[in-house]
């Protein structure tokens, strides 16, 4: 007898259907799984055997069992097929009537030896696939329930164990069907790192507000102890709230990576990733033998913070060029090509020289000019060209640190950034663009048009600093964001002038 069940496989961030075919026939006793499964799929034989036995059913050890995962030319990975394989064996061996199963259903979940179901990764892409294919019923581990609730319009059956499912089929223990209704988003008002706790550095806070409002990249340069790391860690507190579409995007990435848990089934806040400078280029951008998203994708729609920027390897830094320009990472293999989204705000911090005190008013720099030059050349010109805002972070005097006057908190800054983002969403409606930083070159004139006076200011800046075409476009996009923060429909000369000041110092150093 052959039993058939539907499950799924994930390729990159997308899911495809997998049909689980189980044949239990007479012949030499064996238990084989075919269909290009990895080691985890192969080991499911022992998990399924024990789970069936410990659930009070009989494993057909005297039968010739063949499980086919179709289509057979797509590699299957992970433990997600345990549940449908076990159910298929019970159906093929005549212990369960196939007619009792709800039609139009998909099954997924990892089994423990006791028959309990464990949290399984890659559930969200499969749930989205089920909705797209108009599959109405989803059977999955109870630990993945909140993840499944994010997608509306499905009947979700949360399972504690294999016995729980079998009880539902036999009507001895019915499962409470959960109709998914989507996630509720509530803004957070308390932060570990808040702008209210940061004294001084008002010009840096202003640059970060612009970066948060328009999705722009920012580079901070300053001596050790000037507050670069604290400022970077405070930037998530001023980022606008995630939209439902962004929540789906980010949670899907974390689901594929296996980074969701019972405590955090959904990603409701913008990610903040801070990899160490010893990270490899593959870990940064993603890939590997079995490709997984890297740090740039885990920071999608959030912040990628690179402290000690020049200490990262040259290969790692240069690998950032594509995602900074296109917002995606392409991982190519012989048999397939995978694209991971990587639209993030790069926040980088560096010292001005190896010792860190070049230009400091209190401490003398001990580096030679050659050492300073070599240190700065670790960051290539094309990479610097992709960073919109360059700010210096000076060390504060004691009186600035000890001041008791209240400083503006993150909540009010976030409100301004949110209003600017709302303008952008209305402006880019139906264009698949969320922020000014994503404006394409062909759209610059339409969305970032300048007055005659502003064009004259831009012309003088280009002549003074020798700006590249990319730098010119990035200046105009930053000017657009500054205008949005001022709730201005037109980019005025003062908006463009402010944008230029965030590049002027760096461009002077490069001349």
């Amino acid at each position: 007898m052959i039993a058939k069940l539907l499950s799924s496989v994930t390729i990159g961030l997308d899911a495809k259907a997998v049909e689980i075919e189980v044949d239990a026939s007479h012949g030499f006793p064996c238990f084989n799984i075919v269909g290009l499964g990895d080691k985890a799929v192969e080991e499911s034989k022992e998990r399924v055997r024990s789970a069936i036995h410990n659930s009070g059913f009989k494993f057909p050890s005297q039968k010739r069992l063949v499980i086919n995962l179709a289509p057979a030319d797509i590699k299957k990975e992970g433990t997600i097929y345990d549940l449908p394989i076990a159910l298929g064996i019970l159906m093929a061996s005549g212990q369960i009537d196939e007619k009792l199963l709800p039609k139009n259903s998909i099954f997924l979940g990892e089994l423990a030896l006791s028959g309990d179901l464990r949290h399984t990764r890659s559930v969200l892409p499969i749930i989205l696939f089920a909705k797209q294919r108009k599959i109405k019923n989803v059977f999955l581990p109870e630990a993945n329930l909140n993840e499944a609730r994010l997608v509306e319009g499905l009947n979700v059956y949360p399972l504690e164990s294999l016995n729980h499912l079998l009880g539902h089929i036999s009507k001895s223990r019915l499962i409470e069907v959960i109709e998914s209704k989507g996630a509720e988003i509530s803004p957070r008002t308390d932060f570990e790192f808040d702008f209210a706790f940061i004294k001084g550095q008002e010009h840096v806070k202003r640059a970060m507000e612009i970066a948060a409002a328009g999705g722009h990249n920012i580079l901070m340069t300053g001596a050790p102890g000037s507050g670069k790391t604290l400022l970077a860690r405070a930037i998530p507190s001023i980022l606008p709230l995630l939209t439902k579409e962004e929540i789906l995007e980010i949670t899907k990435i974390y689901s594929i990576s296996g980074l969701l848990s019972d405590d955090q089934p959904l990603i409701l806040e913008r990610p903040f990733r801070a990899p160490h400078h010893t990270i490899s280029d593959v870990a940064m951008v993603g890939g590997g033998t079995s490709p997984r998203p890297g740090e740039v994708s885990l920071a999608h729609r959030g912040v990628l913070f690179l402290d000690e920027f020049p200490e990262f390897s040259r290969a790692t830094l240069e690998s950032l060029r594509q995602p900074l320009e296109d917002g995606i990472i392409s991982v190519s293999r012989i048999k397939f090509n995978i694209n991971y989204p990587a639209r993030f705000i790069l926040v980088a911090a560096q010292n001005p020289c190896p010792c860190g005190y070049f230009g400091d008013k209190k401490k003398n720099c001990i580096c030679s000019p050659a050492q300073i030059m070599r240190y700065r050349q670790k960051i290539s010109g094309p990479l610097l060209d992709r960073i919109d805002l360059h700010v210096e972070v000076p060390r504060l005097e004691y009186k600035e640190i000890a001041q008791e006057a209240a400083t503006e908190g993150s909540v009010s800054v976030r409100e301004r950034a949110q209003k600017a983002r709302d303008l952008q969403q209305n402006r880019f409606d139906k264009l698949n663009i969320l922020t000014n930083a994503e404006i394409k070159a062909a759209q610059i004139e339409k969305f970032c048009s300048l007055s005659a006076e502003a064009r004259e200011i831009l012309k003088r800046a280009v002549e003074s600093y020798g700006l590249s075409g990319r730098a010119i476009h990035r200046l105009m996009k930053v000017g657009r964001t500054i205008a949005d923060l001022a709730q201005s429909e037109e980019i005025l000369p003062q908006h463009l002038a402010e944008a230029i000041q965030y590049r002027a110092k760096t461009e002077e150093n490069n001349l």
Side-chain angles (χ1 to χ4, degrees), residues 272-458:
F272 181 87
R273 305 293 298 185
H276 192 261
H277 62 77
T278 56
I279 189 173
S280 69
D281 52 334
V282 174
M284 180 67 82
V285 301
T289 306
S290 299
R292 289 283 178 267
E295 289 292 333
V296 295
S297 295
L298 294 173
H300 182 61
R301 299 300 177 190
V303 174
L304 178 67
F305 175 46
L306 301 185
D307 203 1
E308 304 297 340
F309 198 37
E311 299 302 328
F312 287 80
S313 73
R314 186 69 176 234
T316 299
L317 291 179
E318 292 305 304
S319 68
L320 295 174
R321 286 201 200 180
Q322 183 195 7
L324 287 176
E325 194 68 29
D326 303 327
I328 60 170
I329 274 291
S330 296
V331 179
S332 298
R333 294 294 181 267
I334 293 175
K335 293 185 178 180
F336 57 83
N337 184 71
I338 296 174
N339 290 329
Y340 291 122
R343 184 70 69 179
F344 56 89
I345 296 175
L346 173 64
V347 178
Q350 66 176 9
N351 296 329
C353 66
C355 78
Y357 296 104
F358 179 75
D360 191 79
K361 297 178 181 179
K362 298 292 184 181
K363 290 190 177 183
N364 293 326
C365 174
I366 60 173
C367 304
S368 68
Q371 286 176 313
I372 296 174
M373 183 175 293
R374 282 195 300 270
Y375 183 77
R376 290 181 176 177
Q377 286 176 343
K378 289 182 178 181
I379 314 297
S380 68
L383 183 57
L384 285 174
D385 213 24
R386 288 167 166 80
I387 300 178
D388 310 304
L389 306 167
H390 300 245
V391 292
E392 292 191 355
V393 187
R395 284 203 300 166
L396 298 177
E397 300 288 345
Y398 173 75
K399 61 182 180 181
E400 295 175 288
I401 299 173
Q403 65 176 327
E404 296 182 2
T407 58
E408 187 178 27
S410 292
V411 173
S412 57
V413 179
R414 172 186 264 187
E415 288 175 356
R416 291 198 297 270
Q418 185 69 61
K419 289 179 181 178
R421 283 282 181 102
D422 292 342
L423 284 176
Q424 293 165 54
Q425 286 185 359
N426 293 332
R427 180 184 302 129
F428 305 131
D429 188 34
K430 298 179 182 180
L431 289 179
N432 197 30
I433 295 176
L434 294 181
T435 64
N436 290 328
E438 300 172 42
I439 298 174
K440 304 293 189 295
Q443 302 166 324
I444 287 287
E445 289 300 322
K446 178 180 180 180
F447 296 120
C448 303
S449 58
L450 304 175
S451 65
E453 187 178 354
R455 285 193 176 278
E456 184 60 30
I457 293 174
L458 181 60

Side-chain angles (χ1 to χ4, degrees), residues 7 47 79-85 107-112 116-120 123 139-141 144:
S7 191
R47 291 192 298 272
T79 58
I80 201 168
Y81 308 108
D82 289 5
L83 178 63
I85 288 174
F107 300 85
L108 47 109
E110 176 186 343
L111 286 170
D116 292 340
L117 279 162
R118 289 181 169 143
H119 186 276
T120 304
V123 165
F139 291 83
L140 45 65
N144 291 101

Side-chain angles (χ1 to χ4, degrees), residues 41-57:
V41 174
E42 181 67 21
E43 290 175 347
S44 69
K45 292 190 290 188
E46 301 307 320
R47 291 192 298 272
V48 167
R49 189 192 306 270
S50 296
I52 289 176
H53 175 75
N54 292 321
S55 297
F57 286 81

